[in-house]
Structures are given as structure tokens and as C-alpha cells.
Amino acid sequence: MSVNPMAYEAQFFGFTPQTCMLRVYIAFQDYLFEMMLVVESVILKKLDGFPDCKISPFQIRKSTEKFLLFMKEHFDKLFSKMEEVLLQLVLNIPKNVLLPEDKVHEEYPYSKEQFQALQDEIHQLQQQYRAEASAGQALRAELEEQKAVRAELEKILQWFDGLDNICREHGTGNFKESFAFLTQNSKKLQDVLKDIEEKSKKIKKHDQLV
Amino acid sequence: GGDGGSPVPAAPGRAQVFTTVVDTFLEKLVAAGSYQRFANCYRCFYKLQPEMTRSIYDQFISQLQASIKEEIQEVKDEGNLEVLFNSLDKIVEEAKDQEEPAWRPSGIPEEDVRSAMVPYLLKHRSYLRKVLKEKEEENRKVAESVLAGRDRIAELQQLIEARKHAWQ
């Protein structure tokens, strides 16, 4: 006969049903014995009040044992029946019953592979997130750089605008043109000078040869 | 028709059965240890003092019953059994349509803890999915700004070149 450890019941009740029954059995039995001893001592005491009676303590002891033996037999039988009923109907959890605290096992019966797949997926998501986070940092860094560069360029533009304003204020609207004309002229002059220099070099050479 | 209230359980609850079973036990025990039996065992004393015998017997039986009842009450109190019995009755009632045997601990903690962790992992996964999506969206917007910024800078550079030429 296999012994049912009733571990699931122990999970629910906080004690093993069989242990509970054993405790109760021992307690009841102790009371029975205790009561019998009290009965015996009371009778013996009463007998002291009858000094000429022929009843010996030994006889009383025999009586007690007889009654106790009888009681114990019935006690054991009755307790056995009670225990059976309690273990089957009261202190048990039917096979089809799942305790609420174990609901996850019914809701998420993941196999080892499924569980591993879930963990892998999470790991991958974490890596992806980290990658996105650093990409975001790089983008923001460039944004900051752009701000600085733009500020510099705008400063230059403003300087040019400032120049235009000065020309306008001083009524030399053609300043730009005359400046440009000047620059061009000086360039032209430089070219002409170069020309002349070359030509004079040629003439000097020609003179020498002749 | 019905009163529309919660259904009355067909069978008595565990607490009721428990009480009934214990009471029956006591009843039968007392019946077995009858006064006749007691007096028969202590015949000599009975012959001497019949009333005293009766009185001693009565006290014995009542004391025995009291002790047993007290012990049962202690067990019920210590184990909080009333509450547990009612709770178990409810759980069993709710599972009454389940025909298949339910899950039981396998005895291997590594196996059993997996299912317990799954809901947390699922929550974690959906959280990660959410923040990843948010981050991707955020980055998309920043990337747009970056591209626009590059265009603007190119534009400024062109304007500056134009100005330079104008002063040439």
C-alpha cells in the first residue's frame, strides 16, 4: 500500500493531515488514560473511608485495567473510522482542484524551450534598445555641433550685412561696385604691368641680339 | 423560480463535516463506555457504593468529553481551520467543471519556478517593446532635425559664397 504524502494538502493547510490526526490521536489517548487514573485514585480515596471493606487496591487496579482495555479497543476503532473520513473528505484536495496560488502553472505552462525563447527575445530587445539609445546620443551630439557651426556662419553673414548697411548709411551705394571695380582694375593693372614687363624684357633681348 | 441568490451547496461544507464526525466519534465512544460497562468492571466498588460509582462515572465521562472537545477546538484555532475549510470548499466548488487532474508541484524547483516567472518576463518584454518603439520614434524625429540642420548649414554656406563673390 503506497503512502500518500499529501504534500499538496500540506501546502494549503500548513500541516500534513496525517500529522494532525496523529497529534489528535495522542492527545485523546492521553486524556483517556489521565481520566482513568483520576477515577482510580478517587475510588481508592473513597475506599479509605471504609476501613473494614474487603476490597484491595489490587482489585481496583484490575478493574481499571479491564475498563481501560475495553475503552482503548473501541477508541482505536472509532478513531480509525473518524481519521479515514477526515482524510478523505475534509483534509484533502481533490485531484482536479488547483489552488489559486498555483494559477500561473495553469496559465503559463511554458516548456524549457519556450521559456528560453522568451528570455532570448528579451535579451535581444535590450540590445536593440541600447543601440537605439547610443544612436540617439550621436544624433543629439551632431545637433549640438550644428548649432555652433550655424552660429558662426550666421555671424559671418551678419558681418556682410553690416558692411552693406555701412555703405548704405554713407550714401556710397556704389561703394561695393566701385570696390569691385577697383579690385578688378588693380587686377587689370597688374596684368598690364606684367605684360609690359615681359614685352620690355623681349625688347631688351632683341636689342642685345641686334 | 429561484431567488437569484448564490447557489446553496448541495453537500455540507468541510467545517460541518468535521464537527459532525468528531461529535459522532464522541457519541459512539461514550456509548461504548456505558455506565453498565463501568459498573460491571468496578463491580465490587459498585456493590459497596452504587451512588458514588454513578457520580464518579458521570464526572469521568463529562471530563473526557470536555477535554476532547477542548483539544479539537485548539486544533481548529491553531490551524485557522474554519477559514481554511470554507476557503477550500469555495475553491473546490469553482473547480467542479474541471475534469482533468490539475497541476501538481513536480518536486523539481527549477521546473516549477519557470511558470511562476513567466508573467514577470512577459511584462518585462512588453515594457521593452514599448520603450524601444518610443526611442525609435524619438530618434526618427531627431534625425529629421539633423538632416534639416545640415541643409540649413549648406544654405548658409551658399549665401556666404554669394556675398563673397559680390565683393570680388
Side-chain angles (χ1 to χ4, degrees), chain A residues 121-148:
Chain A
E121 194 180 341
I122 284 174
H123 185 65
Q124 192 186 38
L125 284 169
Q126 283 174 325
Q127 285 189 314
Q128 280 180 282
Y129 181 79
R130 264 181 242 131
E132 281 299 316
S134 11
Q137 270 186 320
L139 285 170
R140 260 179 287 271
E142 178 170 339
L143 222 50
E144 283 301 307
E145 269 181 42
Q146 283 183 354
K147 248 203 309 213

Side-chain angles (χ1 to χ4, degrees), chain B residues 43 49 55 57 99 101 125 132 167:
Chain B
R43 197 175 300 133
Q49 289 283 309
S55 149
Y57 170 79
E99 286 181 4
R125 183 181 69 175
L132 179 60
W167 283 85

Side-chain angles (χ1 to χ4, degrees), chain A residues 8 23 31 35 46 50 63-64 70 82 90 92 94-97 105 108 121 132 142 146 161, chain B residues 14 21 32 41-42 49 52 63 71 78 95 98 102 104 112 114-115 125 129 139 146 149-150 163:
Chain A
Y8 206 48
R23 168 209 167 146
Y31 292 135
M35 295 298 112
K46 296 291 177 203
F50 296 88
S63 300
T64 309
F70 176 77
M82 175 171 81
V90 176
N92 86 316
K95 286 260 159 290
N96 66 325
V97 171
H105 294 101
Y108 304 109
E121 194 180 341
E132 281 299 316
E142 178 170 339
Q146 283 183 354
D161 286 341
Chain B
R14 281 171 163 73
V21 166
C41 290
Y42 287 99
Q49 289 283 309
M52 186 126 303
Q63 192 56 48
E71 178 67 22
E78 269 177 41
Q98 297 274 50
R104 288 288 184 266
D112 294 346
R114 246 189 269 133
S115 291
R125 183 181 69 175
R129 281 180 176 166
N139 285 353
V146 165
R150 287 183 191 170
R163 294 282 214 280

Side-chain angles (χ1 to χ4, degrees), chain B residues 57-72:
Chain B
Y57 170 79
D58 287 340
Q59 279 208 312
F60 159 72
I61 283 297
S62 92
Q63 192 56 48
L64 184 64
Q65 283 182 303
S67 299
I68 284 179
K69 286 199 173 133
E70 204 179 296
E71 178 67 22
I72 287 295

Side-chain angles (χ1 to χ4, degrees), chain A residues 8 11-15 20-21 23-24 27-28 31-32 35-36 39-40 42-43 46-47 50 53 55 59-60 63-67 70-71 74-75 78-79 82 85-86 89-100 102 104-106 108-112 115 118-119 121-123 125-126 128-129 131-133 135-137 139-140 142-143 146 149-150 153-154 156-157 160-161 163-164 167 175-176 179-180 183-184 187, chain B residues 14-15 17-18 21-22 24-25 28-30 32-34 37-38 40-45 48-49 52 56-57 59-61 63-64 67-72 74-75 78-79 81 84-85 87-88 91-92 95-105 111-119 121-122 124-125 128-129 131-132 135-136 138-140 142-143 145-150 152-154 156-157 159-160 163-164 166-168:
Chain A
Y8 206 48
Q11 181 180 319
F12 178 77
F13 285 107
F15 55 78
C20 177
M21 290 284 93
R23 168 209 167 146
V24 170
F28 285 10
Y31 292 135
L32 181 61
M35 295 298 112
M36 291 273 36
V39 163
E40 186 181 73
V42 166
I43 291 178
K46 296 291 177 203
L47 281 181
F50 296 88
C53 84
I55 307 168
Q59 276 176 280
I60 299 299
S63 300
T64 309
E65 281 177 359
K66 193 169 168 196
F67 188 68
F70 176 77
M71 284 297 276
H74 282 264
F75 172 82
L78 290 168
F79 192 91
M82 175 171 81
V85 173
L86 289 180
L89 294 182
V90 176
L91 292 171
N92 86 316
I93 299 176
K95 286 260 159 290
N96 66 325
V97 171
L98 182 70
L99 295 177
D102 290 329
V104 277
H105 294 101
E106 186 183 73
Y108 304 109
Y110 272 52
S111 70
K112 207 174 189 171
F115 189 74
L118 182 57
Q119 282 185 310
E121 194 180 341
I122 284 174
H123 185 65
L125 284 169
Q126 283 174 325
Q128 280 180 282
Y129 181 79
E132 281 299 316
Q137 270 186 320
L139 285 170
R140 260 179 287 271
E142 178 170 339
L143 222 50
Q146 283 183 354
V149 168
R150 208 170 36 239
L153 293 177
E154 276 166 2
I156 294 173
L157 223 48
F160 273 114
D161 286 341
L163 232 48
D164 284 344
C167 298
F175 180 63
K176 207 196 263 177
F179 188 82
T183 328
Q184 280 183 329
K187 265 215 195 124
Chain B
R14 281 171 163 73
V17 173
F18 185 80
V21 166
V22 172
T24 307
F25 165 80
K28 296 217 166 106
L29 188 64
V30 168
S34 64
R37 181 67 64 159
F38 184 80
N40 189 44
C41 290
Y42 287 99
R43 197 175 300 133
C44 32
F45 186 76
L48 190 66
Q49 289 283 309
M52 186 126 303
I56 291 176
Y57 170 79
Q59 279 208 312
F60 159 72
I61 283 297
Q63 192 56 48
L64 184 64
S67 299
I68 284 179
K69 286 199 173 133
E70 204 179 296
E71 178 67 22
I72 287 295
E74 232 175 83
V75 169
E78 269 177 41
L81 292 186
L84 288 179
F85 287 157
S87 169
L88 187 52
I91 293 169
V92 170
K96 69 172 181 234
D97 294 327
Q98 297 274 50
E99 286 181 4
E100 297 295 309
W103 175 88
R104 288 288 184 266
E111 299 253 340
D112 294 346
V113 85
R114 246 189 269 133
S115 291
M117 287 185 61
V118 167
L121 289 184
L122 289 176
H124 192 38
R125 183 181 69 175
L128 283 174
R129 281 180 176 166
V131 294
L132 179 60
K135 206 50 149 159
E136 284 173 343
E138 194 184 303
N139 285 353
R140 195 187 59 77
V142 178
S145 301
V146 165
L147 287 177
R150 287 183 191 170
R152 175 71 183 143
I153 284 175
L156 287 171
Q157 285 173 325
L159 285 175
I160 288 172
R163 294 282 214 280
K164 265 211 285 204
W167 283 85
Q168 222 82 7

